[in-house]
Amino acid sequence: MGCSASCSGRIVHSDDDKIKDAKIIFVVGGPGSGKGTQCEKVVAKYGYTHLSSGDLLRAEVASGSERGKTLQAIMQKGELVPLDTVLDMIKDAMIAKVDVSKGFLIDGYPREVKQGEEFEKKIGAPCLLLYIDAKGETMVKRLMKRGETSGRSDDNEETIKKRLDLYYKATEPVIAFYSSRGIVRKIDSELPVDEVFGHVAKAIDGLK
Ligand SMILES: Nc1ncnc2c1ncn2[C@H]1C[C@H](O)[C@@H](COP(=O)(O)OP(=O)(O)O)O1
Ligand SMILES: [Mg+2]
């Protein structure tokens, strides 16, 4: 929905214009690298809205809808769900929050270069990409530990391996793609959580 002028005569931007003009930060890193952990801290300090594509999808699964059932089968195999599905869910969530957010953290998306291109076509361009970087063995260790309590059906050894393989194959090219635009900040996520956040905060403070 959108209109270009309101009854009072003020210019009112359409939903599409509003989300296009919002500050958009992509948060990219392997499974278990610490994206969610850092995003939570950014929300608390900066008033951004955190949108985890995985969380949005899991909420759809939990709703028990037909779409959720299809999604669950895909996610359980450690595969990527269809691009349009994720993108529509992110866009709806952004529109719902755009009036009360300082910006958006898009966590776990884009998972592949094509997803980034589609995002920019349908929504807008990111001003920063936070590359949350941890070693493969660290990510596996953290996910196995998280799996003890997360209840996530994909936090098991077999699926973790597949998710990591897919990350290296599909998502690392995303980082190269945005590096050429000069918006990538690589964050060492082997450090303790608060130190990692120090670097994240510096990158965000550097935005104008
Ligand atoms: N810098 C850090 N040091 C130690 N543990 C960390 C960490 N960052 C995150 N963790 C823990 C918290 C979780 O149990 C697990 C995965 O973190 P997460 O934020 O859920 O990752 P992601 O959202 O990237 O999958 O690792
Ligand atoms: Mg996460």
Side-chain angles (χ1 to χ4, degrees), residues 126 128-129 131 171-186:
L128 174 68
L129 186 154
Y131 168 25
T171 309
E172 285 217 318
V174 170
I175 293 153
F177 180 78
Y178 287 103
S179 288
S180 61
R181 270 194 224 170
I183 64 165
V184 174
R185 294 291 172 274
K186 184 173 177 178

Side-chain angles (χ1 to χ4, degrees), residues 23 46 127-128 185 199-208:
K23 262 190 196 148
Y46 294 94
C127 53
L128 174 68
R185 294 291 172 274
H199 294 291
V200 167
K202 231 187 273 161
I204 294 178
D205 289 338
L207 293 172
K208 34 172 183 22

Side-chain angles (χ1 to χ4, degrees), residues 109-152:
Y109 188 101
R111 284 285 220 276
E112 53 188 358
V113 171
K114 189 158 179 359
Q115 289 189 353
E117 291 171 338
E118 285 302 308
F119 184 100
E120 296 198 41
K121 263 192 232 155
K122 282 200 187 172
I123 299 175
C127 53
L128 174 68
L129 186 154
L130 291 172
Y131 168 25
I132 310 297
D133 182 44
K135 287 187 286 202
E137 56 184 288
T138 304
M139 295 192 267
V140 173
K141 245 189 253 157
R142 288 180 185 169
L143 289 173
M144 292 300 288
K145 184 106 187 63
R146 186 175 77 180
E148 291 168 12
T149 54
S150 70
R152 279 182 51 167

Side-chain angles (χ1 to χ4, degrees), residues 58-72:
R58 282 185 288 278
E60 184 76 32
V61 171
S63 79
S65 67
E66 275 311 306
R67 177 155 86 170
K69 282 179 197 145
T70 314
L71 291 173
Q72 181 170 34

